[in-house]
Amino acid sequence: MEALFEPAASQPAVTAEPPPARFNFAAHLFALNASRAAKAAYIDDSGTTTYGELEERSRRFATALRDLGVHPEERVLLVMQDSVALPIAFLGALYAGVVPVVANTLLTPADYVYMLTHSHARAVIASRALAVHVTQAMETAEHDGCQLIVSRRASAAVEDTPLAAPVFEDLVDAAEPAARPAATGSDDIAFWLYSSGSTGKPKGTVHTHANLYWTAELYAKPVLGIVENDVVFSAAKLFFAYGLGNALTFPLSVGATAILMAERPTADAVFARLTRHRPTVFYGVPTLYASMLVSPNLPAREDVAMRICTSAGEALPREIGERFTKHFGCEILDGIGSTEMLHIFLSNRAGAVEYGTTGRPVPGYEVELRDESGHAVGDGEVGDLYIKGPSAALMYWSNREKSRATFLGEWIRSGDKYCRLPNGCYVYAGRSDDMLKVSGQYVSPVEVEMVLVQHDAVLEAAVVGVDHGGLVKTRAFVVLKREFAGSEILEDELKAFVKERLAPHKYPRDIVFVDDLPKTATGKIQRFKLRELS
């Protein structure tokens, strides 16, 4: 297969040394931060946890897992809100050689039934607010003695809820710190993350101990420029690959402090953390940046301390990036990553941001755009995005068909379409499954959406294909800004706005105004749900 492909453009050499063959990522972090025992590692809704406390409690949990009869390489499902309990559980499991499986906290009991059965989890750690759904799932799922453990480190709204299971914090307090880490290797299975499952059942994406290391060495330090005196805050939750890097791997790799928030990341909730804790690094998603900018409570520049921001999950509209930078004086580094690659592999750079693009490959990763026959495409042509890099997942657990379709030797097929500009920047053209063929010509929904959100009245937009007498036509679903809601003249105006900026066959044939767009928990628009409405 490789013979079909033209060589990728040369990338700068990777300067980071690979981890040793015997390597445990949790032990690696604890050794890096041994001199920072008194420094704040996390500030969550309940208080502050120092680096010394984080290590001790993680090692205690490693012992607790052993006492519960959970063995190395067995799985433990984490259904936990963003509080310090999650990093303690995650790192403690890694330290013990147990495999933490981090689950989306916004799922139904039926989803958890699938994950429990698929992962064969030996234990489930659930935040108190989520324990009811998990309990319902455990009553239905086929499992062999899976144990429920409930964390009381959660939002105040559920603080008085009765507990009918062992308490995570009590188990940690009662255990002695594990004396030494499990003898894991850099290529050993460390943890799983489930994909979003927007097109089917979630896939258990299997990552190694070294994969965590590489995302910090290749992206966080050289591209993001994260350092010890940074305070970071990720609106993206820890169950998302993007959020796990943002709020665990990256800050702990340099000794920074991370802010965690259990509640949903609304604009007002984010503003409260930006002004109270004054993080220097903020990680968001495009829909959140859009809602922040239209909020009447938008803080003034002098009330925050952000030096750099990032965006992922969906392409960041140029207009949103430019308005944000104008208001706050800091850039948003738009990038793309994936659960399969663990974090960002294409990104803009500080001081060289080109809004409207996803930037250039992160050094250490190779990127190719290929046509349907597997041949490289030229600049300006849309192609399927393939990536090669050291943080790639091993496989999808117990899913041979999907693994063979995605993991192609050293390369991963992302499912995204891009085109490369002559200057080397990449422009997102949508998911491969979302591309439309209108009047015999391909149309990228993202391209039309990017134009629509440039209109003063539009907050968000999503474009799908609908059947018009056997022919595919484009339909736009549009969320208006508050001050334009209820307007009756905007449909024709928006069509004309797109026609002036794109080829005639690309304008939406009809426009549906909606209050909001369906999204995954990671902020990605679920176009398949919009197609079901059409």
Side-chain angles (χ1 to χ4, degrees), residues 87-423:
I88 288 170
F90 184 86
L91 295 173
L94 294 187
Y95 199 80
V98 172
V99 179
V101 180
V102 188
N104 186 331
T105 60
L106 304 176
L107 301 180
T108 65
D111 294 313
Y112 295 131
V113 168
Y114 170 78
M115 291 180 177
L116 285 165
T117 304
H118 179 253
S119 68
H120 300 287
R122 301 291 295 154
V124 184
I125 318 298
S127 294
R128 186 193 300 253
L130 308 170
V132 172
H133 279 179
V134 174
T135 299
Q136 292 174 7
M138 293 182 71
E139 291 171 351
T140 305
E142 295 182 10
H143 61 81
D144 183 18
C146 182
Q147 305 166 76
L148 173 64
I149 301 161
V150 177
S151 170
R152 61 170 169 252
R153 189 99 176 194
S155 60
V158 295
E159 196 60 35
D160 297 325
T161 304
L163 295 173
V167 177
F168 174 76
E169 288 76 14
D170 292 345
L171 292 176
V172 170
D173 288 341
E176 291 295 322
R180 62 184 61 86
T184 54
S186 60
D187 288 338
D188 283 352
I189 294 173
F191 67 102
W192 301 6
L193 292 170
Y194 274 103
S195 66
S196 64
S198 59
T199 57
K201 288 292 186 184
K203 299 181 288 293
T205 310
V206 179
H207 281 284
T208 69
H209 283 267
N211 290 358
L212 292 158
Y213 169 88
W214 281 118
T215 60
E217 295 301 316
L218 298 182
Y219 173 77
K221 295 177 182 178
V223 176
L224 188 58
I226 190 169
V227 293
E228 180 179 3
N229 61 5
D230 275 318
V231 176
V232 309
F233 173 46
S234 177
K237 299 298 184 180
L238 283 162
F239 66 75
F240 181 20
Y242 177 49
L244 184 69
N246 297 344
L248 191 150
T249 310
F250 299 168
L252 301 188
S253 291
V254 296
T257 299
I259 311 300
L260 297 178
M261 176 178 74
E263 66 184 291
R264 191 167 65 88
T266 62
D268 283 345
V270 168
F271 294 155
R273 275 72 181 182
L274 292 180
T275 56
R276 181 186 312 149
H277 300 298
R278 296 178 65 82
T280 54
V281 180
F282 175 65
Y283 313 91
V285 296
T287 53
L288 175 59
Y289 286 118
S291 64
M292 290 168 65
L293 288 170
V294 298
S295 171
N297 300 321
L298 184 68
R301 179 185 298 195
E302 57 269 21
D303 293 332
V304 302
M306 295 178 291
R307 66 166 183 83
I308 200 72
C309 299
T310 70
S311 182
E314 289 268 88
L316 180 72
R318 179 193 302 273
E319 185 256 354
I320 297 297
E322 291 174 345
R323 286 176 55 204
F324 191 92
T325 297
K326 182 178 180 180
H327 180 84
F328 286 114
C330 67
E331 297 174 313
I332 301 175
L333 305 185
D334 189 24
I336 184 174
S338 68
T339 307
E340 292 77 11
M341 293 303 294
L342 192 54
H343 214 275
I344 288 171
F345 50 82
L346 264 179
S347 179
N348 277 272
R349 304 293 199 280
V353 169
E354 297 196 33
Y355 287 127
T357 81
T358 316
R360 296 173 172 82
V362 171
Y365 294 90
E366 293 182 44
V367 170
E368 287 186 356
L369 300 182
R370 304 173 183 170
D371 62 20
E372 295 175 357
S373 300
H375 296 97
V377 303
D379 288 351
E381 298 181 62
V382 174
D384 292 303
L385 180 68
Y386 289 71
I387 318 103
K388 179 168 69 174
S391 64
L394 294 176
M395 61 182 164
Y396 298 130
W397 185 263
S398 191
N399 195 332
R400 182 178 176 85
E401 180 183 0
K402 292 289 187 182
S403 292
R404 292 181 68 181
T406 300
F407 301 98
L408 308 174
E410 294 183 286
W411 293 91
I412 282 182
R413 176 188 288 142
S414 73
D416 297 294
K417 285 191 177 288
Y418 265 85
C419 71
R420 187 177 65 187
L421 302 179
N423 67 1

